Amino acid sequence: MIVKHLDDILGTAADVDTEGWTSRRLIYKDAGMGYSVNDTIIKPGAELEMQYRNHLETVYCIEGEGEITDLATGVTHPIRVGTLYALNRHDHHILRANKGTHMRMVCVFNPPLTGREVHDETGAYALSD
């Protein structure tokens, strides 16, 4: 059984901070679960272009508001508390947090992240061995 609290993660190597987001890596590859789970903050006004070419991701919003744009179709979907989106086709997208508010997201990745990834120039994470 794995039991953790967010306080166990804050300030450790599993607390990854970048200009547009902070990701607290709760469960990652070494847990052997076959997926990873992150508690991620999208910073106010952030606009992040991403495409996870090596991972599938499901995201559930638990705080804040923003939007996601599917760059293949141009369709923009609002995000608010209770919204879930799944990037089931390695979707190229732009994620935006509204100015003045952050978005807090629970993110699940398959295959699992190792815990220290940051986005490359295409907005993807590298695939680990």
Side-chain angles (χ1 to χ4, degrees), residues 19-39:
E19 183 178 327
W21 52 267
T22 301
S23 183
R24 292 81 68 95
R25 311 291 169 82
L26 298 166
I27 295 288
Y28 38 99
K29 185 176 182 176
D30 70 356
M33 299 294 295
Y35 58 86
S36 58
V37 179
N38 304 332
D39 180 331

Side-chain angles (χ1 to χ4, degrees), residues 4-12 14-15 24 26 39 104:
K4 294 183 181 181
H5 188 276
L6 183 59
D7 290 341
D8 300 330
I9 305 300
L10 299 177
T12 71
D15 186 3
R24 292 81 68 95
L26 298 166
D39 180 331
R104 185 173 179 195

Side-chain angles (χ1 to χ4, degrees), residues 62-128:
I62 60 173
E63 288 181 22
E65 294 183 351
E67 61 186 24
I68 187 169
T69 300
D70 179 340
L71 292 177
T73 65
V75 175
T76 298
H77 303 273
I79 297 173
R80 60 185 175 87
V81 173
T83 300
L84 178 139
Y85 65 86
L87 302 171
N88 60 327
R89 294 187 186 118
H90 306 284
D91 306 278
H92 191 189
H93 63 284
I94 297 176
L95 181 63
R96 297 177 191 88
N98 289 351
K99 290 184 170 125
T101 184
H102 68 267
M103 287 192 297
R104 185 173 179 195
M105 320 290 264
V106 176
C107 307
V108 177
F109 284 91
N110 183 17
L113 302 180
T114 63
R116 293 302 300 163
E117 289 88 351
V118 293
H119 296 116
D120 68 16
E121 66 281 352
T122 69
Y125 291 137
L127 188 59
S128 65

